[in-house]
Amino acid sequence: MVLRPPGLQLLIDVLREGGWTVVGPTVRDGVVVHAEIESLDQLPRGVGDVQDAGSYRLSQHGDEALFRYVVGPQGWKSLLFPSRELLWSGRRTGTEMEVEPAEVDPPRLALLGVRSCDLHALAIHDTVLAERAVVDAAYVSRRENTFVIALTCSDPGGTCFCVSMGTGPVPDKGFDLALTELLDQDGHRFLISAGTSRGEDVLDELATRATGDEVLRAARADRDAARKVGKTAAGRMGRSLDTDGIRDLYANAEHPRWEEVASRCLACTNCTLVCPTCFCTSVEDASDLSGTQTQRWRLWDSCFTNDYSYLHGGSVRSSTSSRYRQWATHKLASWVDQFGTSGCVGCGRCITWCPAAIDITAEVGAIRSGKG
Ligand code: SF4
Ligand code: SF4
């Protein structure tokens, strides 16, 4: 089907009336972030972004397009795997200790505008958090209450390399609905298709509720135009990474480039916090002053901190070079051994949001090419 902008508003209305909180892109503090969306007016109309290593700024396209930005600093991770989460509470009565697991009552979230790289990141988190012997029950519960509206990228950013990672720019699976925004001589519209029966039900309701030309049957020209959007985007990646035989990173453990990059790395953890697949956590216990109540919280952590590898007697990875090497090698090589896919989806966030402008594609490329 094809939605005119009022049809996209109808989609938001139908989802909201069905009990979903629609979360999508909006501009705040000079970046595109995710927030609850009730109206198309909240979307970043005419906004683009210019991204490079260590830099991000919004730009104005001056047109009516709603999705011409790329990805902002937030993945969808924080909605499904919060940065701070209560695991359990405990209470001491006499010599007994009662433990109560934290209740999870997730909101029903409809995620609007999920790029293909982020769809693959969701699939990676499903593998890591929901498909192993011990599952993260809170994540599973949130994930089951998620409706995904994917989006074909039209204007990839200067740090994007999803084509190299085989994760984009056209959504291929893992969505309920998929949109491609079209803005040409035939006007402003969105080609929309369903990936699940839930998505089909929503499309049926849109067709039933439409009163004018806000929802139309897709013509061949619309499908051709949408294919062109994806193809053009695929040819405009800002970065690339040769992934052929990339597990040979193991053989480069002593390469001098690890020390060179460490001399620039601030070990600030930005790259891991913006990464949509990083999932390292630590726990923190907090008790009250009387010593009768306690809580255990889980917080995002990062392999870039000295404490993350602390074992009895000291840190296993005490140097920044060993931590950068651990991160890059895990993302691109040992993740494959562990989970069967790469841990990197080529979204480019770690490059854009690194204050030292360190670029994983350049570092790994230099190490694998033998250059210092
Ligand atoms: S690579 Fe960049 S973002 Fe990551 S810890 Fe080092 S300085 Fe921070
Ligand atoms: S390692 Fe960097 S490019 Fe790869 S998924 Fe994480 S943030 Fe995106």
Side-chain angles (χ1 to χ4, degrees):
M1 284 169 30
V2 165
L3 308 180
R4 296 283 181 194
L8 187 61
Q9 179 64 55
L10 183 60
L11 171 63
I12 293 171
D13 296 342
V14 162
L15 289 168
R16 286 171 55 77
E17 287 163 24
W20 297 98
T21 299
V22 178
V23 181
T26 197
V27 173
R28 192 176 67 216
D29 298 333
V31 290
V32 174
V33 294
H34 299 140
E36 183 173 353
I37 300 294
E38 297 178 9
S39 155
L40 293 193
D41 293 338
Q42 294 168 266
L43 297 176
R45 189 182 303 273
V47 171
D49 50 29
V50 181
Q51 302 195 31
D52 204 344
S55 86
Y56 174 102
R57 70 177 164 80
L58 294 181
S59 59
Q60 295 297 325
H61 288 299
D63 59 21
E64 288 298 300
L66 300 173
F67 296 101
R68 284 189 69 184
Y69 68 95
V70 193
V71 290
Q74 293 174 319
W76 303 91
K77 168 168 94 169
S78 58
L79 296 172
L80 302 172
F81 185 68
S83 57
R84 181 175 165 81
E85 178 164 32
L86 180 65
L87 297 180
W88 53 261
S89 303
R91 176 206 297 264
R92 190 169 65 179
T93 43
T95 56
E96 300 293 314
M97 174 86 171
E98 286 170 25
V99 173
E100 213 176 293
E103 273 182 29
V104 182
D105 183 16
R108 299 178 78 215
L109 296 181
L111 313 181
L112 172 63
V114 182
R115 310 295 171 132
S116 188
C117 57
D118 282 340
L119 275 182
H120 283 260
L122 286 176
I124 287 172
H125 268 190
D126 289 347
T127 304
V128 173
L129 301 170
E131 292 166 9
R132 288 200 288 168
V134 178
V135 303
D136 180 332
Y139 175 85
V140 171
S141 163
R142 291 192 190 95
R143 192 71 171 95
E144 285 171 353
N145 281 280
T146 305
F147 186 96
V148 176
I149 306 156
L151 180 84
T152 301
C153 269
S154 58
D155 296 69
T159 56
C160 290
F161 57 104
C162 65
V163 167
S164 299
M165 305 313 294
T167 58
V170 181
D172 54 355
K173 58 184 176 189
F175 54 81
D176 294 289
L177 293 171
L179 292 169
T180 304
E181 184 169 34
L182 303 171
L183 187 57
D184 56 22
Q185 68 283 354
D186 293 327
H188 188 198
R189 63 208 189 282
F190 303 84
L191 184 75
I192 186 166
S193 59
T196 60
S197 56
R198 286 196 309 185
E200 281 170 11
D201 291 345
V202 171
L203 290 190
D204 287 346
E205 188 164 353
L206 288 180
T208 308
R209 295 262 303 264
T211 53
D213 69 351
E214 67 268 44
V215 179
L216 304 165
R217 183 183 285 272
R220 186 173 174 170
D222 298 316
R223 288 192 289 273
D224 288 348
R227 263 193 294 276
K228 194 169 161 200
V229 168
K231 201 169 165 199
T232 306
R236 292 174 48 200
M237 292 287 119
R239 297 282 198 281
S240 65
L241 180 67
D242 179 8
T243 58
D244 222 17
I246 198 159
R247 287 169 66 262
D248 64 14
L249 271 179
Y250 288 135
N252 285 293
E254 302 305 328
H255 197 287
R257 184 82 179 204
W258 299 119
E259 291 296 339
E260 196 280 327
V261 65
S263 70
R264 290 179 282 135
C265 173
L266 309 170
C268 68
T269 78
N270 260 19
C271 48
T272 51
L273 299 182
V274 294
C275 178
T277 67
C278 280
F279 61 91
C280 290
T281 54
S282 60
V283 292
E284 193 175 270
D285 292 337
S287 58
D288 68 355
L289 288 178
S290 68
T292 56
Q293 313 265 357
T294 189
Q295 291 185 324
R296 173 158 290 185
W297 290 83
R298 183 174 70 182
L299 299 93
W300 286 359
D301 203 344
S302 169
C303 54
F304 275 88
T305 69
N306 199 30
D307 281 352
Y308 191 71
S309 66
Y310 186 89
L311 300 177
H312 176 71
S315 287
V316 173
R317 291 186 285 270
S318 56
S319 65
T320 305
S321 60
S322 64
R323 284 179 241 146
Y324 188 88
R325 181 181 62 191
Q326 148 68 23
W327 176 70
T329 308
H330 187 213
K331 280 282 155 202
L332 297 167
S334 48
W335 202 297
V336 181
D337 297 334
Q338 212 178 349
F339 302 115
T341 64
S342 173
C344 173
V345 296
C347 70
R349 289 184 177 96
C350 58
I351 305 170
T352 299
W353 297 97
C354 172
I358 292 169
D359 176 344
I360 188 172
T361 64
E363 298 309 320
V364 169
I367 285 167
R368 296 189 68 215
S369 70
K371 289 184 194 144

